[in-house]
């Protein structure tokens, strides 16, 4: 579009209605949000599957097809399939694209070869009433869409139901379907972000997390760009609850400041770990091109490590944080050191930044390994880099196995 829309709420609401009624061509559709995480995780060799909600429409079918093609496990629905279905027609609309998929309760993965199932999730939005613990109105047919608006200078703006409510968007859900609950219970890790509180009531999220934790799952939480809505009232309570339950918390520098009130990212990470009776073991703050810091639970407020980023030619940063998170999950559940994990995560984020767009455009494991092979880590991880080179050059290894070995070789060298 020629000019991005103003921030006026009424104007943007009208725009959302117009775009929904006359969507862009399917050629411009892409999955996003936690689908970025799931695709990146699958490409790194993790077994991952979604627990969430999709509408019975062309967008839900598109999203499921993309995830299946990317090796992501099938969706376990947190609510029954609606009794009615809806469809949408498509027409060419210049200057916008449609991104399918939100976030819900997400389980993330176990290691390759494990028999346990794992998941991360996509969900749809709804304004609905409650009947027997589930949402029942026909709006449950609809998959949540986010329209990405782009101007001639590549400026971006987003337009979706998340901005307008009513919240939670899936108001009628009071408990997960048994199949989704079993998926979370069988996972080594459960990944969710702050968008989940736009979609589900706090008691549903808390119950699902506690149940998964009681069966051995670790919760990973990324507050995301919606954390500015979590500063007071029930939203603040929701933030506090999930921070308390999470073994790993991931934030951008801006999000860390919003969540903790601390300007300094190291102080913000220490704040997360210093909360009374917290389960958090790692607090990660992403610093963009500068890399990331990680604060590891321990005496004296935790041990902080700063891991530099990778120098690449940046094309687009969309999806970098989601793919970064997938690498953190990979390292954590495989017992890698914090520094080795962040080294890999920085590489995955950097490799994603070299492409344009998210979804199917996030980094491949082969691109990540190529970036690691060509990187001079310096004295801190030089030997680990040499060990990784041997793994990368061994063409007999399939990508997931090579990535696991790569992580192990880097970990052996830079463990602290």
């Amino acid at each position: 579009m020629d000019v991005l829309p103003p921030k006026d709420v009424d104007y943007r609401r009208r725009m959302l209605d117009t775009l929904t009624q006359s969507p862009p061509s399917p050629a411009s559709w892409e999955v996003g949000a936690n689908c970025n995480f799931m695709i990146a995780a699958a490409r790194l060799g993790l077994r991952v599957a979604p627990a969430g909600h999709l509408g019975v429409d062309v967008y839900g079918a598109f999203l499921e097809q993309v995830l299946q093609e990317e090796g992501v496990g099938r969706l376990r629905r947190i609510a029954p399939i609606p009794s009615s279905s809806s469809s949408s027609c498509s027409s060419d609309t210049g200057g916008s694209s449609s991104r399918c998929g939100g976030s819900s309760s997400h389980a993330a993965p176990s290691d390759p070869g494990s028999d346990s199932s794992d998941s991360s999730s996509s969900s749809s939005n709804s304004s609905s009433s409650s009947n027997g613990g589930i949402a029942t109105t026909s709006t449950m047919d609809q998959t949540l869409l986010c329209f990405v608006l782009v101007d001639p200078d590549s400026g971006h703006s987003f337009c979706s139901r998340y901005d307008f409510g009513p919240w939670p968007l899936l108001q009628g859900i009071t408990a997960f379907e048994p199949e989704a609950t079993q998926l979370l219970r069988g996972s080594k890790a459960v990944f969710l972000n702050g968008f989940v509180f736009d979609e589900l009531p706090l008691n549903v999220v808390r119950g699902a997390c506690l149940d998964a934790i009681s069966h051995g799952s670790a919760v990973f939480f990324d507050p995301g760009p919606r954390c500015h809505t979590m500063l007071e009232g029930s939203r603040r309570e929701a933030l506090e609850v999930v921070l308390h339950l999470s073994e790993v918390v991931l934030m951008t520098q801006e999000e860390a400041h919003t969540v903790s009130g601390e300007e300094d990212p190291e102080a913000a990470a220490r704040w997360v770990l210093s909360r009374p009776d917290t389960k958090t073991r790692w607090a990660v703050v992403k610093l963009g091109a500068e890399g990331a810091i990680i604060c590891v639970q321990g005496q004296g407020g935790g041990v902080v490590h700063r891991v530099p980023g990778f120098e690449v030619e940046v094309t687009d940063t969309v999806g970098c944080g989601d793919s970064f998170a997938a690498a953190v999950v990979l390292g954590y559940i495989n017992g890698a050191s914090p520094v080795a994990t962040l080294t890999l995560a920085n590489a995955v984020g950097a490799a994603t930044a070299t492409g344009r767009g998210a979804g199917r455009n996030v980094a491949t494991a082969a691109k990540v390994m190529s970036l690691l092979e060509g990187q001079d880590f310096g004295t801190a991880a030089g030997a680990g880099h040499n060990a990784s080179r041997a793994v990368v050059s061994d063409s007999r290894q399939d990508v997931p196995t090579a990535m696991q070995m790569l992580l192990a070789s880097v970990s052996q060298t830079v463990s602290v």
Side-chain angles (χ1 to χ4, degrees):
M1 58 192 312
D2 293 336
V3 179
L4 294 178
K7 294 183 178 181
D8 178 77
V9 174
D10 291 335
Y11 182 95
R12 297 179 74 88
R13 190 188 299 271
R14 292 194 299 272
M15 171 170 281
L16 177 61
D17 291 341
T18 299
L19 291 170
T20 301
Q21 294 169 10
S22 182
S25 164
S28 64
W29 296 2
E30 187 53 85
V31 298
N34 278 317
C35 294
N36 301 333
F37 169 85
M38 288 187 285
I39 292 174
R43 290 179 177 182
L44 293 177
L46 289 165
R47 290 165 51 92
V48 59
H53 178 76
L54 289 177
V56 186
D57 55 17
V58 293
Y59 302 113
F62 168 77
L63 191 149
E64 288 196 279
Q65 179 181 348
V66 168
L67 294 183
Q68 181 181 15
E69 291 172 351
E70 287 289 341
V72 174
R74 68 177 178 84
L75 170 73
R76 272 70 161 189
R77 291 181 176 272
I78 61 175
I81 296 175
S83 58
S84 61
S85 63
S86 62
S87 61
S88 300
C89 61
S90 298
S91 62
D92 290 328
T93 304
S96 66
S97 64
S98 175
R99 181 174 297 164
C100 303
S103 61
S104 192
S105 178
H106 334 245
S110 62
D111 54 300
S114 168
D115 291 332
S116 63
S117 299
D118 317 291
S119 73
S120 182
S121 82
S122 307
S123 70
S124 70
N125 60 316
S126 166
S127 174
S128 58
S129 59
S130 176
N131 182 9
I134 64 171
T136 58
T137 65
S138 61
T139 53
M140 287 290 285
D141 294 346
Q142 302 169 7
T143 299
L144 174 65
L145 303 180
C146 176
F147 292 94
V148 184
L149 311 174
V150 185
D151 66 18
D153 297 324
S154 297
H156 292 73
S157 182
F158 302 94
C159 191
S160 77
R161 276 284 306 281
Y162 282 117
D163 298 321
F164 309 116
W167 302 282
L169 298 173
L170 301 176
Q171 293 180 5
I173 296 177
T174 58
F176 284 3
E177 287 287 282
E179 189 178 42
T181 298
Q182 289 301 318
L183 176 66
L184 302 190
R185 289 177 175 178
S187 301
K188 287 189 175 181
V190 174
F191 177 82
L192 56 98
N193 64 27
F195 287 101
V196 71
F197 298 115
D198 289 306
E199 301 166 355
L200 293 169
L202 169 59
N203 65 306
V204 174
V205 178
R206 174 169 46 200
C209 288
L210 286 171
D211 185 72
I213 290 169
S214 72
H215 287 80
S217 299
V219 173
F220 292 69
F221 178 51
D222 184 342
R226 295 287 289 173
C227 66
H228 71 275
T229 70
M230 305 174 193
L231 300 182
E232 57 186 9
S234 61
R235 285 293 183 100
R236 185 68 196 191
E237 179 187 1
L239 175 65
E240 296 287 347
V241 166
V242 178
L243 284 176
H244 175 75
L245 295 177
S246 301
E247 287 193 30
V248 179
V249 176
L250 306 100
M251 305 169 286
T252 66
Q253 188 169 355
E254 180 180 1
E255 291 160 4
H257 170 60
T258 301
V259 168
S260 70
E262 300 284 353
E263 292 281 358
D264 178 68
E266 180 177 324
R270 291 187 184 277
W271 178 89
V272 171
L273 295 186
S274 66
R275 302 172 71 256
D277 301 320
T278 184
K279 295 181 182 294
T280 309
R281 312 308 302 169
W282 289 5
V284 178
V285 180
K286 298 168 283 186
L287 305 176
E290 297 180 15
I293 65 170
I294 182 168
C295 189
V296 181
Q297 190 65 267
Q299 294 182 349
V303 179
V304 175
H305 306 282
R306 183 178 292 264
V307 181
F310 289 75
E311 187 174 343
V312 296
E313 185 173 341
V314 176
T315 301
D316 192 348
T317 59
V318 175
C320 292
D322 300 317
S323 53
F324 177 101
V328 171
V329 172
L330 171 67
Y332 188 86
I333 67 174
N334 281 282
S337 75
V339 174
T341 298
L342 252 63
T343 299
L344 179 61
N346 284 340
V348 173
T352 295
T354 63
R356 185 172 299 282
R360 290 166 290 182
N361 300 307
V362 300
T364 63
K367 180 180 284 190
V368 173
M369 289 191 289
S370 177
L371 179 60
L372 285 166
E373 182 185 25
Q375 187 74 24
D376 180 9
F377 291 110
T379 57
H385 169 243
N386 291 334
S388 346
R389 186 192 301 263
V391 175
V392 173
S393 63
D394 185 354
S395 60
R396 293 171 295 176
Q397 298 291 343
D398 62 29
V399 167
T401 302
M403 185 58 68
Q404 292 282 340
M405 292 179 64
L406 175 62
L407 177 64
S409 65
V410 174
S411 181
Q412 290 169 5
T413 303
V414 302
S415 294
V416 293

